[in-house]
């Protein structure tokens, strides 16, 4: 307990370190920003592979080293849970119609809307950081979206999609306010569909009209070997053979990436379609027509994927790149400055 405000007195003499963490599918992203006297002394981003959805020990060690060296270190992440959402703020609050128990939830006002997350979901997110000293900031994905697009919001009512590998978050907004939000975990569904494509059942998933690239090139590979053998037993033969193998591996990797992209776009399409039906039909939401879709792309959706959504949803669709850890760091700095007042 800082009874005499001692930490505020000495803080200017120390670095403030902001560490943001995003756990997404099999990737743990880390951003570390160290600031002293208004000057950024460190600004680095790292990625680690995750196993069983647990924070990698390398990431834990990196964070602990900063927490040990710099006493004013602030850790942030984005909430990942079904049990969160937004609703429009009214004069008379009736949480029950939104299925929210205020005694079991954390509810914050934000403009003309409110954000909620169940207390149990907060505990679930905190548990992921149990190996550390705990979290300083847990941000809603809807706040992350809003922070990214707040200077780009138009008069057109638009659907903003924060797309990650393992989840997507939706926000419907225009200059007049926020109208709808939803968080969806897609990792399991996408994995099931990806396995179906890899096992040769792609037509059952996408229909008979889908042309899946043929990877059974054994005969072509044997012919290539015969041609290479004509070069004789030489270094040139070895070099050409290695080049052929590398080209085949690159082609297989590109094919897998294309299939994964198709799977993810298909899952996103289904979620967006169902969410729009809910938005248009449920009297809880204001009657607004969606004129535009903006994808906040965290890992690289193909232009073909964007076109697929635009053509099938029949709504103008575009994408902008976004780094969640960058947004989390920026939000942490805002909250930090606010806490100093």
């Amino acid at each position: 307990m800082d009874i005499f405000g001692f930490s505020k007195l000495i803080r200017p003499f120390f670095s403030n370190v902001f560490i943001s963490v995003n756990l997404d599918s099999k990737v743990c992203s880390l951003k570390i920003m160290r600031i002293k006297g208004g000057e950024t002394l460190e600004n680095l981003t790292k990625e680690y592979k995750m196993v069983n959805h647990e924070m990698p020990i390398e990431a834990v060690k990196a964070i602990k080293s900063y927490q040990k060296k710099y006493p004013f270190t602030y850790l942030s992440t984005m909430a990942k849970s079904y049990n969160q959402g937004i609703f429009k703020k009214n004069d008379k609050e009736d949480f029950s119609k939104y299925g929210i128990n205020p005694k079991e939830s954390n509810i914050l006002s934000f403009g003309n809307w409110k954000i909620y997350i169940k207390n149990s979901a907060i505990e679930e997110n905190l548990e992921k950081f149990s190996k550390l000293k705990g979290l300083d900031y847990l941000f809603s994905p809807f706040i992350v979206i809003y922070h990214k697009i707040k200077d780009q919001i138009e008069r057109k009512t638009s659907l903003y999609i924060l797309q990650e590998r393992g989840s997507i978050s939706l926000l419907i907004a225009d200059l007049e306010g926020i109208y709808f939000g939803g968080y969806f975990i897609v990792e399991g569904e996408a994995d099931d569909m990806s396995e179906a494509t890899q096992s040769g059942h792609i037509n059952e998933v996408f229909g008979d009209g889908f042309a899946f690239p043929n990877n059974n090139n054994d005969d072509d590979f044997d012919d290539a070997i015969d041609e290479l053998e004509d070069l004789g037993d030489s270094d040139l033969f070895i070099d050409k053979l290695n080049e052929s193998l590398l080209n085949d591996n690159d082609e297989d990797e590109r094919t897998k990436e294309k299939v994964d992209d198709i799977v993810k776009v298909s899952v996103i399409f289904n979620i967006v379609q169902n969410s729009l039906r809910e938005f248009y039909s449920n009297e809880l939401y204001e009657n607004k027509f969606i004129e535009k879709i903006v994808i906040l792309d965290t890992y690289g959706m193909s232009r073909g994927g964007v076109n697929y959504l635009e053509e099938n949803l029949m709504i103008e669709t575009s994408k902008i790149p976004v780094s969640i850890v960058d947004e989390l760091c920026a939000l942490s700095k805002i909250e930090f400055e606010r806490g100093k007042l």
Side-chain angles (χ1 to χ4, degrees):
M1 181 181 295
D2 188 17
I3 300 176
F4 302 105
F6 182 67
S7 64
K8 289 186 178 180
L9 292 174
I10 66 172
R11 185 180 289 155
F13 302 100
F14 289 83
S15 292
N16 292 311
V17 180
F18 300 94
I19 302 178
S20 55
V21 182
N22 189 44
L23 306 177
D24 180 23
S25 186
K26 299 176 182 178
V27 179
C28 169
S29 301
L30 209 66
K31 182 178 179 69
I32 301 171
M33 182 177 290
R34 183 165 68 90
I35 301 172
K36 186 177 181 181
E39 181 182 357
T40 300
L41 303 179
E42 281 186 80
N43 188 356
L44 55 95
T45 303
K46 297 182 178 182
E47 283 194 350
Y48 305 90
K49 289 185 178 180
M50 287 200 302
V51 179
N52 297 326
H53 301 282
E54 293 185 2
M55 184 179 290
I57 189 64
E58 296 90 345
V60 172
K61 288 180 178 179
I63 294 170
K64 280 186 174 181
S65 68
Y66 275 89
Q67 289 178 328
K68 184 177 180 179
K69 188 174 182 180
Y70 303 103
F72 298 106
T73 296
Y74 305 93
L75 188 62
S76 65
T77 193
M78 189 173 80
K80 306 288 181 81
S81 173
Y82 278 123
N83 296 311
Q84 61 180 328
I86 69 170
F87 59 92
K88 192 169 183 179
K89 185 165 61 175
N90 298 311
D91 293 333
K92 291 184 179 180
E93 303 295 356
D94 184 4
F95 297 108
S96 62
K97 67 182 181 182
Y98 295 98
I100 302 169
N101 184 340
K103 294 181 180 180
E104 298 177 354
S105 304
N106 194 305
I107 303 172
L108 299 175
S109 294
F110 195 90
N112 72 332
W113 47 296
K114 289 195 172 186
I115 306 168
Y116 75 90
I117 181 170
K118 286 190 175 182
N119 296 331
S120 58
I122 294 177
E123 292 300 322
E124 289 173 6
N125 280 273
L126 292 176
E127 180 63 28
K128 298 174 184 177
F129 295 83
S130 59
K131 296 178 181 178
L132 298 164
K133 293 180 180 179
L135 278 173
D136 296 283
Y137 305 114
L138 177 65
F139 292 106
S140 162
F142 312 116
I143 293 294
V144 173
I145 296 174
Y146 185 77
H147 182 262
K148 177 64 179 179
I149 56 99
K150 66 182 187 298
D151 296 326
Q152 306 171 40
I153 295 179
E154 304 178 16
R155 291 187 179 277
K156 292 181 179 179
T157 304
S158 302
L159 168 62
Y160 298 92
I161 304 173
L162 178 60
Q163 176 196 227
E164 297 190 83
R165 298 175 181 86
S167 66
I168 66 169
S169 305
L170 309 181
L171 189 74
I172 295 177
D174 58 25
L175 284 175
E176 296 180 7
I178 307 293
Y179 308 102
F180 178 89
Y183 177 86
F184 305 89
I185 297 173
V186 301
E187 187 172 15
E189 185 174 352
D191 288 345
D192 290 343
M193 294 177 71
S194 183
E195 287 176 8
T197 62
Q198 292 172 16
S199 62
H201 299 127
I202 193 165
N203 289 335
E204 295 176 15
V205 179
F206 298 106
D208 294 334
F210 183 85
F212 186 75
N214 181 16
N215 289 323
N216 297 323
N217 296 324
D218 293 343
D219 293 338
D220 294 337
F221 183 74
D222 289 341
D223 291 341
I225 290 294
D226 290 340
E227 292 176 7
L228 289 171
E229 284 176 342
D230 291 340
L231 296 172
D233 186 14
S234 64
D235 291 339
L236 179 61
F237 167 74
I238 298 300
D239 290 341
K240 289 291 185 181
L241 178 58
N242 286 333
E243 181 182 344
S244 178
L245 288 169
L246 287 172
N247 288 339
D248 285 344
N249 288 335
D250 288 344
E251 183 64 32
D252 288 344
E253 187 62 30
R254 284 193 294 270
T255 298
K256 184 181 184 302
E257 289 175 357
K258 289 178 182 177
V259 171
D260 287 345
D261 193 46
I262 292 167
V263 168
K264 289 170 185 172
V265 170
S266 177
V267 172
I268 291 170
F269 169 75
N270 290 332
I271 290 174
V272 170
Q273 188 178 53
N274 291 332
S275 296
L276 290 179
R277 285 173 181 164
E278 170 72 9
F279 177 68
Y280 287 135
S281 63
N282 196 322
E283 61 182 13
L284 289 175
Y285 307 113
E286 190 170 339
N287 189 14
K288 290 276 188 174
F289 181 72
I290 309 301
E291 300 181 67
K292 187 177 180 181
I293 294 176
V294 179
I295 299 168
L296 308 184
D297 188 16
T298 65
Y299 63 83
M301 176 185 278
S302 68
R303 182 65 238 176
V306 175
N307 291 339
Y308 175 87
L309 290 176
E310 183 172 67
E311 292 170 4
N312 285 275
L313 293 169
M314 293 183 288
I315 303 174
E316 176 190 349
T317 303
S318 61
K319 72 169 183 173
I320 56 176
V322 63
S323 165
I324 289 179
V325 289
D326 283 354
E327 299 302 315
L328 291 174
C329 249
L331 287 166
S332 296
K333 289 167 64 181
I334 292 172
E335 289 300 312
F336 170 76
E337 292 297 330
R338 184 179 299 168
K340 287 167 59 178
L341 300 177

